[in-house]
Amino acid sequence: MLRHADHNDVPRIQAILNKPENWDKLEAYSDEAVLAAIDGAEMTVFVWEEDQQWLGFCWLCRAACSIKIEEFGVSTPGEGVGSRFFAAVLENLDLYDEAKSVWLAVAADNKAAIRFYKRFGFVPSELREAIWKRRKGPIADALIMRR
Ligand SMILES: CC(C)(COP(=O)(O)OP(=O)(O)OC[C@H]1O[C@@H](n2cnc3c(N)ncnc32)[C@H](O)[C@@H]1OP(=O)(O)O)[C@@H](O)C(=O)NCCC(=O)NCCS
């Protein structure tokens, strides 16, 4: 089930953002920044639950003509959860933001995520070199992908 995040979701969102294996894939945020995203008019944070189990979050930023996927993570990667979750997110965006393009920046060495987004019709459009100072080095290139 797709739903909007509320304040109670912050610790679980932070647990995914701060998992050591995600240090080179996701950014670090204060609780206040996550709360601001949940409450902000230009941002939407979705969470995904199956059988009342909390499984992940997807944080979006809305601009006039486009939507950026700011952060996206699930608690058990590689088990199909992200595919079900992301299909529901895109369906929601197609319903409510039909005319907007969707884009994201992914670490250029995050091969699994790049494969994942390609399966959903995202296409690499630009490589921004050495702009991503990660918690766990080295500095990464960011690959921009668009749908
Ligand atoms: C990126 C992410 C959200 C994708 O979600 P996910 O749940 O791992 O995605 P899925 O499991 O649906 O798909 C991933 C792969 O697992 C495979 N898979 C799906 N169900 C599976 C299962 N039951 N058993 C084995 N493999 C499975 C898929 O076919 C897919 O294969 P691919 O690598 O060839 O594309 C998740 O991996 C994640 O949280 N990664 C860490 C954070 C991150 O990188 N976020 C993106 C930053 S922009």
Side-chain angles (χ1 to χ4, degrees):
M1 186 194 76
L2 187 73
R3 67 166 171 82
H4 287 272
D6 62 39
H7 289 195
N8 295 326
D9 293 309
V10 173
R12 285 175 290 202
I13 293 170
Q14 288 286 32
I16 292 180
L17 287 169
N18 295 317
K19 248 186 180 179
E21 55 267 46
N22 286 342
W23 286 357
D24 57 353
K25 303 182 178 87
L26 303 174
E27 300 274 2
Y29 298 88
S30 64
D31 284 351
E32 291 68 28
V34 179
L35 285 166
I38 289 171
D39 291 337
E42 278 132 35
M43 292 188 246
T44 300
V45 184
F46 287 116
V47 300
W48 183 247
E49 292 169 333
E50 293 176 5
D51 301 326
Q52 294 178 0
Q53 224 190 322
W54 196 100
L55 292 172
F57 77 97
C58 184
W59 170 346
L60 312 169
C61 290
R62 293 168 188 279
C65 314
S66 66
I67 295 169
K68 182 183 182 202
I69 296 164
E70 195 65 47
E71 302 290 350
F72 178 38
V74 299
S75 33
T76 53
E79 296 179 6
V81 170
S83 295
R84 295 192 290 277
F85 183 9
F86 203 52
V89 168
L90 294 179
E91 194 181 305
N92 185 285
L93 297 185
D94 287 343
L95 274 179
Y96 298 105
D97 297 273
E98 202 181 345
K100 293 190 177 179
S101 69
V102 185
W103 69 284
L104 57 93
V106 58
D109 57 4
N110 189 351
K111 303 283 183 243
I114 292 168
R115 238 183 2 255
F116 177 88
Y117 291 124
K118 280 184 176 166
R119 278 201 286 117
F120 282 92
F122 284 74
V123 181
S125 70
E126 186 192 336
L127 188 70
R128 296 185 185 162
E129 284 180 23
I131 63 159
W132 194 329
K133 292 197 184 74
R134 298 190 281 200
R135 284 178 274 183
K136 198 170 78 178
I139 290 177
D141 299 337
L143 181 68
I144 308 300
M145 301 183 79
R146 294 180 194 280
R147 169 184 172 270

